[in-house]
Amino acid sequence: LRGFRLSAARPELARTQLRAIFRASRHGPLKLMFPMISTPDDFLQARDMAESVRAELGADPIETGIMVEVPSAVAMAAELAEMVDFFSIGTNDLTQYMLAVDRTHPLLADRVDSLHPAVLRMIDQTVRAAHDAGKWVGVCGGLAGDVRGALILVGLGVDELSMPAALVPQVNAALR
């Protein structure tokens, strides 16, 4: 029970966090991203909650997107792309759920492979759906900070990579 699912189960916690986000948005640009969205209905519920808090505070609208971490979000990417401002693909969770392996399980962790063709097809499908709708796609997770992974992601059309600062020079050099 995490991400949006926790927000739906405990809306008072989510509303507290949303109030903080909208208050912070008065001091500089930020984006709001909902994790663990599985369906368009999930996003609509999350967006409605955020819009309610935004209106309550009289805050300006902010860009709102989702983490694409579960295969159902990829399957619904075209529909979701019409609703969101951006996607961020969480490669660690997407790999785990796509390959049915728990990355923390001692007997399964060695089967986690974000470069598995099935995972790469999921990323490609998400990027295509987003770009068809004129939206940008970022990637966070271990694959974005891996040189070979970053090269593949950029080749698939990913617009933004998120990684620890220490990895940026190495990835930048490879991409150049």
Side-chain angles (χ1 to χ4, degrees):
L1 188 64
R2 60 189 183 113
F4 168 72
R5 295 166 182 176
L6 180 60
S7 296
R10 303 276 311 273
E12 69 283 357
L13 292 176
R15 292 182 67 80
T16 298
Q17 292 174 340
L18 289 166
R19 278 193 289 279
I21 289 166
F22 282 108
R23 285 184 183 121
S25 74
R26 293 182 176 139
H27 303 287
L30 60 84
K31 296 172 179 62
L32 174 60
M33 182 169 56
F34 293 105
M36 298 301 288
I37 296 292
S38 298
T39 66
D41 285 342
D42 284 351
F43 177 71
L44 292 174
Q45 186 178 351
R47 185 184 67 188
D48 288 350
M49 185 184 299
E51 180 58 24
S52 169
V53 171
R54 186 197 70 74
E56 168 190 312
L57 296 175
D60 292 332
I62 58 176
E63 283 188 62
T64 305
I66 64 166
M67 289 289 298
V68 176
E69 304 162 286
V70 295
S72 62
V74 176
M76 302 300 297
E79 291 81 1
L80 286 162
E82 296 298 327
M83 301 174 178
V84 303
D85 294 314
F86 64 92
F87 286 144
S88 180
I89 301 170
T91 58
N92 296 344
D93 279 335
L94 183 60
T95 299
Q96 176 172 267
Y97 294 126
M98 185 63 198
L99 300 180
V101 295
D102 181 345
R103 64 182 182 251
T104 65
H105 192 285
L107 299 177
L108 297 175
D110 65 333
R111 296 187 63 139
V112 174
D113 178 10
S114 293
L115 292 173
H116 188 286
V119 176
L120 295 177
R121 287 179 185 170
M122 293 267 130
I123 294 168
D124 180 57
Q125 183 178 337
T126 302
V127 170
R128 289 175 190 266
H131 288 175
D132 286 350
K135 309 297 170 68
W136 63 271
V137 181
V139 168
C140 63
L143 192 58
D146 173 79
V147 169
R148 191 166 130 215
L151 292 169
I152 292 169
L153 291 170
V154 170
L156 290 173
V158 169
D159 303 296
E160 181 179 281
L161 302 173
S162 176
M163 68 196 72
L167 299 175
V168 171
Q170 182 181 7
V171 172
N172 270 346
L175 291 172
R176 272 190 285 252

